[in-house]
């Protein structure tokens, strides 16, 4: 699928193996998510529009660039929170709009419980942050909410995707570019990604 981008950067793959490790403690887990997010931010922003910006160095005047588009980071509560810091370090003027969605335990379908989007879009590019693209239900619903809100350009950034979730998101929203650190084998009967890393929220917040 042309809109799915999986990074094979050595640093990222090294850190991803540490993140998956069941022995990795929450403090280290959060640190790794932040670092992997910086690397994913680099990949996911390669096509951002620029505009000219003349700059004066200590020696002379020269030409330069600045980002043209306003970026909105949209972390999905709660697991997406850990990805914000890494992205924010790379783009400190990005706005952050939180969406709260959880999976119903029986149906695995998304239930909305929090929406802090302002009345009208204030940004040009929305970047959804959610580490695990499992069934795809949450990603499809978050994208639908952003489109209804008026967002024109939406990217999805996650850490690990299952084939089922990637298919579902790419089919429902073919215009959304999807950036991941890995595509895993499958979902288990509880809709967890295998081999995966377990529950990304519990592992960050120590609530397992
Ligand atoms: N959410 C998680 O945190 N982990 C999974 O494997 C799937 C969904």
């Amino acid at each position: 699928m042309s809109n799915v981008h999986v990074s094979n950067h050595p640093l990222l793959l090294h850190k991803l193996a540490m993140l998956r490790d069941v022995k990795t403690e929450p403090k280290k887990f959060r640190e790794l998510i932040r670092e992997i997010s910086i690397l994913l931010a680099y990949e996911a922003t390669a096509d951002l529009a620029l505009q000219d910006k003349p700059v004066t160095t200590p020696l002379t005047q020269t030409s330069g660039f600045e980002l043209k588009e306003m970026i909105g980071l949209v972390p999905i509560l709660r697991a997406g929170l850990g990805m914000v810091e890494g992205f924010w370090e790379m783009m400190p003027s990005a706005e952050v709009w939180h969406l709260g969605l959880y999976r119903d335990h029986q149906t695995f379908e998304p239930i909305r419980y929090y929406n802090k989007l302002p009345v009208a879009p204030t940004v040009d590019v929305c970047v959804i942050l959610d580490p695990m693209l499992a069934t795809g239900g949450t990603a499809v619903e978050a994208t639908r909410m952003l489109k209804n809100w008026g967002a024109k350009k939406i990217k999805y950034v996650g850490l690990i995707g299952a084939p089922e979730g990637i298919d579902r998101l790419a089919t429902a929203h073919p215009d959304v570019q999807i950036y991941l650190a890995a595509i895993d084998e499958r979902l288990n009967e509880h809709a967890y990604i295998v081999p995966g890393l377990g529950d990304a929220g519990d592992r960050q917040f120590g609530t397992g």
Side-chain angles (χ1 to χ4, degrees):
M1 272 177 274
S2 62
N3 55 340
V4 182
H5 312 266
V6 183
S7 176
N8 54 10
H9 194 290
L11 286 178
L12 199 150
L13 297 181
H14 178 91
K15 289 175 189 297
L16 183 63
M18 293 165 75
L19 190 75
R20 288 184 190 272
D21 192 331
V22 68
K23 294 195 292 300
T24 300
E25 302 284 344
K27 180 172 186 295
K28 183 68 184 168
F29 192 90
R30 291 193 296 273
E31 197 177 299
L32 287 164
I33 288 211
R34 187 185 139 273
E35 292 169 353
I36 292 172
S37 298
I38 291 174
L39 296 166
L40 286 170
Y42 178 80
E43 308 255 354
T45 52
D47 64 347
L48 288 184
L50 291 171
Q51 62 193 13
D52 291 333
K53 186 186 179 193
V55 56
T56 309
T57 77
L59 302 181
T60 185
Q61 288 217 317
T62 186
S63 55
F65 300 100
E66 64 183 359
L67 291 176
K68 190 173 178 182
E69 299 166 306
M70 282 294 297
I71 301 164
L73 303 176
V74 185
I76 308 300
L77 301 175
R78 68 185 164 143
L81 285 178
M83 298 179 71
V84 173
E85 280 302 324
F87 269 76
W88 234 353
E89 272 181 48
M90 294 299 105
M91 49 197 88
S93 57
E95 297 179 12
V96 179
W97 302 110
H98 298 86
L99 291 182
L101 294 154
Y102 69 87
R103 292 196 303 182
D104 181 272
H105 288 307
Q106 248 106 54
T107 64
F108 305 131
E109 287 305 310
I111 314 279
R112 281 180 279 152
Y113 67 92
Y114 190 75
N115 178 346
K116 203 63 179 129
L117 296 172
V119 179
T122 47
V123 294
D124 305 299
V125 185
C126 287
V127 184
I128 298 174
L129 303 176
D130 198 7
M132 307 303 274
L133 181 50
T135 64
T138 297
V140 168
E141 177 61 11
T143 306
R144 192 192 63 75
M145 288 167 76
L146 290 176
K147 284 185 176 174
N148 284 352
W149 180 53
K152 296 279 179 284
K153 192 167 166 190
I154 302 171
K155 290 167 180 274
Y156 178 96
V157 183
L159 303 183
I160 302 178
E164 297 90 327
I166 296 168
D167 260 11
R168 187 163 168 192
L169 177 57
T171 304
H173 299 289
D175 53 320
V176 171
Q177 300 293 312
I178 302 169
Y179 298 86
L180 296 166
I183 299 180
D184 275 6
E185 282 165 30
R186 61 185 171 87
L187 294 178
N188 70 10
E189 65 279 20
H190 304 293
Y192 273 80
I193 299 177
V194 180
L197 49 71
D199 189 301
D202 282 344
R203 293 201 61 190
Q204 286 177 73
F205 298 108
T207 49

